[in-house]
Amino acid sequence: MAAAAEPGARGWLGGGSPRPGSPTSSPELGAGSRSRSGPGSGPGSGPERSGSRPPGPAAPSHSFRKVTLTKPTFCHLCSDFIWGLAGILCDVCNFMSHEKCLKHVKTPCTSVAPSLVRVPVAHCFGPRGLYKRRFCSVCRKGLEAPGLRCEVCELHVHPDCVPFACSDCRQCHQDGHRDHDAHLHHWREGTLPSGARCELCRKTCGSSDVPAGVRCEWCGIQAHSVCSAALAPECTFGRLRTLVLPPACVRLLSRNFSKMHCFRIPESAAPEPGDGEDSADGSVPAGPGREVGTPESGKQTLKIFDGSDAMQRNHFRAVTVPRLARSQEVLEAALRAYYISEDPQGFQLQALPTPVQLGDTAAAGRVWSAGPAEEEGGRAAPEAWVLRALPRTQEILKIYPAWLKVGVAYVSIRVTPQSTARSVVLEVLPLLGRQAEGAEGFQLVEVLMGSRQVQRTVLADEEPLLDRLREIRQTSLRQMSQTRFYVAESRVPAPRVSLFVGGLPPGLSPQEYRRLLDEAVTSKAALVTVSHVYSAQGAVVLDVACFAEAERLYMLIRDTAVRGRPLTALVLPEVLHTKLAPDCRPLLVFVNPRSGGLKGRDLLCSFRKLLNPHQVFELTNGGPLPGFHVFSRVPCFRVLVCGGDGTVGWVLAALEDLRHHLACPEPAVAILPLGTGNDLGRVLRWGAGYSGEDPLSVLLSVDEADAVLVDRWTILLDAHESACGEDSEADAEPPKIVQMSNYCGIGIDAELSLDFHQAREEEPGKFTSRFHNKGVYVRVGLQKISHSRSLHRALRLQVEQQEVELPSIEGLIFINIPSWGSGADLWGSDSDSRFEKPRMDDGLLEVVGVTGVVHMGQVQSGLRSGIRIAQGSYFRVTLLKATPVQVDGEPWVQAPGHLIISAAGPKVHMLRKAKQKPRKAGPAKDARADGAPAPEGDPK
């Protein structure tokens, strides 16, 4: 017997919402009554039972009952206060509602949410944190204690709820199986501020008291859960459409790599006990929050395991029941604890054997058939039980079409002891209209939709399906609800994984890099090719034609050092540049998480959620090169650098080196200042420093910023050997050539920067606020007030081949922008007939002197200016002794020799923030029709 399922709106949590008019449960409830809307629609939902569930795939399947309220409570649908003493509560997911709102409930229960996921995509959970006014997506309760959040989407969960979370993260790239014609909204519930307004009815749809309303995680439109069904299904990415790298334009074959690897997110330290570490069965650890406490009088707390793996790992759920509870009540409580909404008649509780009972087969296999307070032969009922499924002679199994364009979401077939994977494929193909293509071109794939990783297994043709289902349930009942079966084409895309390898010695040939890698990590020559070589940066990109080999190389490279330097390994996606819209100029984001008070960590997470994570790169993980390589074929893009002036200079230097590799050789660069000085950010109107502004507003400002030109300068360092003892303090010779955008300081200001830099290196944990950093600068300066260096006697200056006599100064500064030392105007505003008015794109540098720390303090206070010395485009400085030097805030001690400053070729295109405020941060007007249920079609 086989029946094709009606296509519907499968995708509430993974890309759509229930379609308008879909049937839903609205039982008539009396005092104390309970209604279960129906069994869970997992892959195997047990024998068919007529009338057990309303028809239609969008049925919420809640277990509602009327409860007496003892504290102020709000409705999860309309977010209004529930007046009176009675409310309607779901026993499984804690959904609370007015009785009048029941008929409008479209939000599915957690017990059936996995079956409604449109495309299973795992989450990337970061470290624990305290997220105020957030609600757990599984149990719907507030995150009052430290919880977890996904680094890619708006999912928040309690640590103990992680194993029950749906694998419904945003789909940010194509996996090579099928290209998608349209991008649908990705609705997420409960992330709306209290003042949010519905895109359809314009009434308030957010709440800080309960999880209410839905929001598209791509375009940002907000709506009531009911109203979202009336919005158009396609998403156009809203106000950020020109900045977002569309998922359809990114391809990444990542079969053996976790989401953390794919998005280059550093994996957290070893998981804490009870943090929801997803194991093979995904069972819940017995850790903080899972200890069995002392129950109330008249009640007892039982440990419930959901399968063999949970028993081996001691992962259980604690259930508190009355001591005189009937076996049916205890069984229902155990099923609710594991979010299983199937008929309790198909399950039983078996006693867990204690070490004393291991040889007692009767005790070990005892089934709960009476109240727990009853004793058998003087023995008390055990406190630990295993939830087991009763043997089934046949099942109704849902088979999904994988990446096939057909008109149904799934088909249901009856599985008997004679059913094998091959027979199921033969039975399903006619129902999908694909019988003419031949069964040998298809296979049955088992997909475990874990919250941390989605695992796919191809079943052998002779695999007995009923035995396979029984084995899964024996391992873990919850695993059964998160397992799907797909009919997929046997032809799979050719494996191709791009691995970026950094940290290699610079200046080698492709053959030398290949030989060096073969010595460090032996690779299979037939499967691995060197596709790109960045010799100056000491990096290569490998193309690997085997998933297993790519995973092996990735793990080995990360633990390998070459010539004393650890290697960096990153999995890189491919940008399909020909698919980009003509008006799309995606934003390439670089974040330095160590800059300016360590705020970069939160910005990384924010930008990953607002944009495509594949366009956000952490600079401490491989530097700017991986990002520029990924965008190398994009015809037009912009860059956002989040960091201090040193970070901006780092990215600009990399851009200068890689310009000839890019299809867009001159991308405009914006700045989100995170450092202490942030002088270039000040000049370009990005502010004195980031102070917690809305990241969305920052992106809108980048989109509307104006492009300007800024000079870049090359500094050639030519140190000479010296035997003088006073020169022994000089550091090892710095790089021969450095690039400069802001200023170059010689003498006292570089000395202060060097002392600050050394203090931060010794105790980085103390430098977490911009105010503290400036305080350290002041303290270091006060210590040097009385020091005299007579810098004018320790160097010689030539400007345009002409010797310039220096006044009595302690510091010599070459400035390219009208901001120095955290916003000070060192040149001054007074007109001077000897010099042209300074501009940052005029091809000229201004040379200014300061007489000491006091003079520098007066300049920064606006009381004085520096001593104007010269203006030109070519400078030669001769250092007669080791002298502190700093370029754009990066200091060192330079050995005696020559320092030559000249123009660095083409000017850089920077983005200057517009003076007017950016347009409203909400979605664009035409996005009003951008959000609706995803039609229930074939899985992608």
Side-chain angles (χ1 to χ4, degrees), residues 789-793 795 806-812 848-852 867 869:
R789 297 154 196 81
S790 300
L791 182 69
H792 58 289
R793 298 175 183 171
L795 58 81
L806 296 174
S808 178
I809 57 175
E810 295 293 322
L812 187 68
V848 184
V850 292
T851 59
I867 301 173
I869 296 176

Side-chain angles (χ1 to χ4, degrees), residues 62 76 89-96 108-111 138-141 339:
H62 289 284
H76 290 194
L89 175 71
C90 175
D91 274 334
V92 177
C93 70
N94 300 309
F95 189 99
M96 178 65 74
C109 180
T110 302
S111 60
V138 176
C139 68
R140 308 182 66 85
K141 296 181 179 179
Y339 297 95

Side-chain angles (χ1 to χ4, degrees), residues 827-838 866-871:
W827 183 259
S829 57
D830 295 340
S831 59
D832 192 328
S833 59
R834 297 177 301 164
F835 307 108
E836 298 181 17
K837 184 178 180 180
I867 301 173
R868 297 178 181 178
I869 296 176
Q871 189 179 51

Side-chain angles (χ1 to χ4, degrees), residues 508-748:
L508 304 182
S509 66
Q511 294 76 17
E512 290 174 317
Y513 281 124
R514 180 60 189 258
R515 185 166 56 252
L516 198 63
L517 284 173
D518 283 342
E519 293 173 358
V521 287
T522 305
S523 60
K524 300 178 181 178
L527 300 176
V528 182
T529 58
V530 179
S531 62
H532 295 80
V533 175
Y534 298 96
S535 180
Q537 293 77 20
V540 299
V541 177
L542 306 178
D543 276 353
V544 188
C546 172
F547 292 121
E549 178 68 5
E551 183 184 28
R552 188 187 71 84
L553 287 177
Y554 176 81
M555 303 304 294
L556 284 177
I557 291 171
R558 293 201 310 171
D559 296 330
T560 301
V562 172
R563 298 183 184 176
R565 293 182 60 190
L567 298 183
T568 300
L570 299 174
V571 181
L572 297 184
E574 177 187 3
V575 176
L576 308 177
H577 61 283
T578 57
K579 290 190 172 186
L580 291 171
D583 63 339
C584 180
R585 48 181 183 181
L587 186 67
L588 174 58
V589 181
F590 293 111
V591 181
N592 187 349
R594 298 176 183 172
S595 294
L598 306 178
K599 293 180 180 177
R601 165 70 184 167
D602 288 335
L603 282 173
L604 269 171
C605 189
S606 297
F607 287 136
R608 287 190 186 115
K609 293 177 180 178
L610 290 169
L611 303 169
N612 190 322
H614 288 300
Q615 61 190 110
V616 181
F617 289 79
E618 184 177 345
L619 285 171
T620 54
N621 192 15
L625 178 55
F628 284 125
H629 173 79
V630 171
F631 273 60
S632 60
R633 301 173 68 187
V634 177
C636 182
F637 67 93
R638 288 184 166 187
V639 178
L640 173 63
V641 182
C642 307
D645 287 338
T647 302
V648 176
W650 182 14
V651 174
L652 292 179
L655 176 59
E656 185 71 27
D657 293 339
L658 300 169
R659 194 183 300 274
H660 62 284
H661 290 283
L662 303 178
C664 177
E666 297 180 347
V669 181
I671 301 172
L672 180 56
L674 298 182
T676 302
N678 304 315
D679 289 288
L680 187 56
R682 296 170 191 263
V683 171
L684 298 174
R685 300 182 187 146
W686 296 107
Y690 179 70
S691 56
E693 294 86 357
D694 181 11
L696 176 59
S697 298
V698 173
L699 294 178
L700 294 178
S701 296
V702 172
D703 190 36
E704 300 183 357
D706 305 314
V708 296
L709 293 175
V710 177
D711 292 329
R712 286 278 287 170
W713 298 85
T714 296
I715 302 177
L716 174 63
L717 304 165
D718 184 14
H720 294 164
E721 295 292 338
S722 175
C724 298
E726 63 181 2
D727 298 334
S728 61
E729 65 182 74
D731 290 344
E733 184 176 331
K736 292 291 185 183
I737 295 178
V738 295
Q739 303 289 334
M740 183 193 84
S741 298
N742 303 353
Y743 39 70
C744 170
I746 303 174
I748 180 61

